[in-house]
């Protein structure tokens, strides 16, 4: 069935605005709003102000920059504000909350970028730049939709409530409290939440996403000598923190990805036959994984166990070691204090506090078995919940229609291995459904070097998000 006239009109307008939309994304990417790094914090704030101005220029109202105070564990580092805004306040319309994040992961040219990460560069169908897909491209697409409607003088048939944060990549600090505080105020009456902060599974087939894993992030600090030591003088004489940490690391997970901490597997919801069958229809192969990662290093022989490992089982990753020697060359140092970092992606029905218990007990037991005289402390840095929803509700129905209009195919229904910790908080506190409606592709390289978004996804993505709003007005909200 051909889309209704106002939607084809919207699509044509979006096509004609392509150069302006690319420029808007270039302006956003040029602000290095890296949340993980205190030195960049003014840039994160600058990005919030950029969002504020864009929203104001595009006709949004009731724009508020919500201050969240000082970041815990710091002296005077202010958290970046949450940007709230409305577009439309017609009481006869449904209210849709749009969430996205305007902060990005760190990026340095010397990490292996072919171009300056904070300058949007087009090559063929690809736009390279930090945040192009995660999450500035999708966030800017929401702005683009406002411009397209404004220029057409076309009504958006739902009221929009925007909530953009600047700490997502660092655990969404402060946002959960804000959602609770505003549930009956700014967010009162929200009927649905839409988040575009995820990706297609591969590079050709659109998806709608109904689940994400949670994440619990831990540190293991091992300390002994009062200062770094010369290994020629003290090697073989002292207990070395780095050696201890390596041993503890090796007891967390094996090279096949099996978690070695007792008590975690038991918490995972059993795989039912019905759930298992859902994986048979996904249009994705092992070669798709290999394409995404640019190598043939997948643990599994078949796509189904690989997808299940990513979506519905926990995983444990080791991320790095603070205090360890990592420069080129051969420094003969014994680091005095090292902080090992690892995280566990969580799934139903792992309870975060129970997980902490088994993690702490295991690390302490393994360390005590080493017989080392060093001191070991294991701590939780931050955690975020997993989320799984019903992919057949009215919001998904609207998104399916929109996706079909734009891409001409039925979207696959996927879960994700990554985390958007705030998803569950929106669902629970606003008592509403959430959908993840992606713009980018699985091979975009979010968090990686040479992150990109395809121009086609960026433009078709704007159409998909725009049509979704129209179909949402048309769909009957579930009881
Ligand atoms: N956009 C990602 C979430 C995501 C990742 C969705 C992979 C789908 C697939 C988001 O910006 C992100 O990276 N989140 C962090 C959250 C963490 C810092 C609490 C993550 O997953 O590591
Ligand atoms: Zn993101």
């Amino acid at each position: 069935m051909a889309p209704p006239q106002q939607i084809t009109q919207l699509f044509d307008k979006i096509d004609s605005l392509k150069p302006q939309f690319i420029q808007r994304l270039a302006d956003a990417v040029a602000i290095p709003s890296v949340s993980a790094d205190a030195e960049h914090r003014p840039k994160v704030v600058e990005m919030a102000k950029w969002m504020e101005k864009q929203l104001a220029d595009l006709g949004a109202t009731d724009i508020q920059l919500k201050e969240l105070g000082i970041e815990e564990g710091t002296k005077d580092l202010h958290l970046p504000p949450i940007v709230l805004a409305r577009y439309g306040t017609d009481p006869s319309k449904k209210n849709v909350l749009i969430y996205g994040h305007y902060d990005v992961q760190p990026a340095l040219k010397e990490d292996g970028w072919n171009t300056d990460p904070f300058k949007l560069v087009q090559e063929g169908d690809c736009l390279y730049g930090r945040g192009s897909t995660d999450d500035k491209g999708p966030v800017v697409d929401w702005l683009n939709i406002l411009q397209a409607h404004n220029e057409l003088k076309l009504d958006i048939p739902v009221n929009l409530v925007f909530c953009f944060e600047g700490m997502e990549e660092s655990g969404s600090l402060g946002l959960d409290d804000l959602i609770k505080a505003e549930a009956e105020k700014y967010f009162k009456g929200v009927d649905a939440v839409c988040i575009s902060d995820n990706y297609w599974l591969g590079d050709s087939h659109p998806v709608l996403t109904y689940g994400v894993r949670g994440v619990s992030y831990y540190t293991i600090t091992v300390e002994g000598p009062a200062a770094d030591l010369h290994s020629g003088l003290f090697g073989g004489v002292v207990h070395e923190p780095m050696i201890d940490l390596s041993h503890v690391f090796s007891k967390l997970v094996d090279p096949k990805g099996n978690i070695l901490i007792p008590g975690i597997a038991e918490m995972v919801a059993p795989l039912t036959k019905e759930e298992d069958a859902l994986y048979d229809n996904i249009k994705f192969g092992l070669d798709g994984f290999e394409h995404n990662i640019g190598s043939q290093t997948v643990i599994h022989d078949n796509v189904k166990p690989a997808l299940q490992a990513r979506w519905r089982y926990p995983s444990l990753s080791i991320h790095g070691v603070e205090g360890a020697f990592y420069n080129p060359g051969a420094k003969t140092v014994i680091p005095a204090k090292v902080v090992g970092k690892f995280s566990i992606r969580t799934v139903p029905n792992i309870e975060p506090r129970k997980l902490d218990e088994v993690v702490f007990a295991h690390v302490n037991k393994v360390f005590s078995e080493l017989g080392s005289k060093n001191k070991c402390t294991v701590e939780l840095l931050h955690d975020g919940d997993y989320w799984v929803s019903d992919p057949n509700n009215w919001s998904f129905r609207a998104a399916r229609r929109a996706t079909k209009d734009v891409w001409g195919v039925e979207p696959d229904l996927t879960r994700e291995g990554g985390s958007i910790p705030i998803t569950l908080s929106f669902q629970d506190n606003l008592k509403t459904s959430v959908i993840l409606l992606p713009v980018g592709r699985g091979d975009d390289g979010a968090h990686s070097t040479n992150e990109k978004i395809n121009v086609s996804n960026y433009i078709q993505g704007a159409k998909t998000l725009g049509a979704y709003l129209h179909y949402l007005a048309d769909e009957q909200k579930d009881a």
Side-chain angles (χ1 to χ4, degrees), residues 6-68:
Q6 74 271 25
I7 291 185
T8 48
Q9 194 190 356
L10 176 66
F11 289 178
D12 291 344
K13 187 73 191 174
I14 288 173
D15 280 328
S16 75
L17 288 170
K18 182 159 123 182
Q20 288 187 46
F21 289 176
I22 292 177
Q23 185 56 49
R24 182 175 280 127
L25 182 57
D27 293 345
V29 167
I31 304 171
S33 50
V34 177
S35 57
D37 168 10
E39 273 175 30
H40 276 87
R41 193 56 59 83
K43 291 292 171 191
V44 188
V45 175
E46 184 183 327
M47 188 65 206
K49 297 204 167 127
W50 184 89
M51 292 292 299
E52 179 186 29
K53 176 154 186 347
Q54 289 282 323
L55 286 160
D57 290 349
L58 290 164
T61 58
D62 197 6
I63 304 173
Q64 299 186 20
L65 266 54
K66 289 281 186 189
E67 293 300 331
L68 301 172

Side-chain angles (χ1 to χ4, degrees), residues 230-396:
H230 191 305
S231 67
L233 298 177
F234 297 102
V237 178
V238 291
H239 288 286
E240 298 193 20
M242 193 66 190
I243 294 177
D244 292 354
L245 180 63
S246 311
H247 275 269
V248 177
F249 269 170
S250 74
K251 300 278 167 27
L252 299 178
V253 62
D254 76 11
K256 290 275 175 69
N258 300 303
I259 298 179
L260 304 176
I261 303 172
I264 296 183
E266 292 79 350
M267 289 191 250
V268 176
L271 177 69
T272 62
K273 261 197 191 142
E274 292 75 30
E275 189 196 335
D276 193 56
L278 294 176
Y279 290 80
D280 294 328
N281 303 321
I282 308 279
K283 288 167 213 65
F284 194 63
L286 257 197
D287 51 336
F289 266 112
E290 292 172 349
H291 170 70
N292 286 357
I293 53 183
S295 73
Q296 297 180 338
T297 49
V298 176
I299 292 173
H300 310 87
D301 297 327
N302 297 300
V303 71
K304 190 162 164 175
L307 281 176
Q308 290 183 350
R310 168 149 138 184
W311 293 354
R312 64 106 49 226
Y313 287 110
S315 61
L316 190 154
S317 299
I318 295 177
H319 303 297
V321 181
E322 226 176 284
F325 170 61
Y326 65 90
N327 292 315
K331 187 179 177 190
T332 52
V333 65
I334 298 174
K337 175 180 172 181
V338 286
V339 184
K341 310 205 176 164
F342 71 98
S343 72
I344 298 175
R345 297 283 168 174
T346 59
V347 295
N349 299 315
I350 294 178
E351 285 177 35
R353 295 294 74 79
K354 258 201 165 150
L355 180 67
D356 295 346
E357 253 174 57
V358 296
V359 167
F360 295 165
H362 181 71
V363 170
N364 288 328
K365 176 168 175 283
V366 168
F367 184 78
S368 70
E369 285 166 2
L370 299 181
S372 169
K373 292 181 185 169
N374 287 325
K375 188 178 153 213
C376 173
T377 334
V378 50
E379 285 170 298
L380 174 75
L381 216 55
H382 64 69
D383 61 3
D385 275 313
Y386 55 78
W387 161 80
V388 183
S389 169
D390 162 26
N392 297 310
N393 69 35
W394 67 295
S395 181
F396 277 86

Side-chain angles (χ1 to χ4, degrees), residues 101 134 168-169 171 197-199 215 345 382 416 418-421 447:
H101 63 94
D134 184 12
E168 196 274 347
E169 299 290 7
D197 184 22
N198 61 312
Y199 325 98
V215 62
R345 297 283 168 174
H382 64 69
E416 261 306 348
S419 308
I420 309 174
H447 294 207

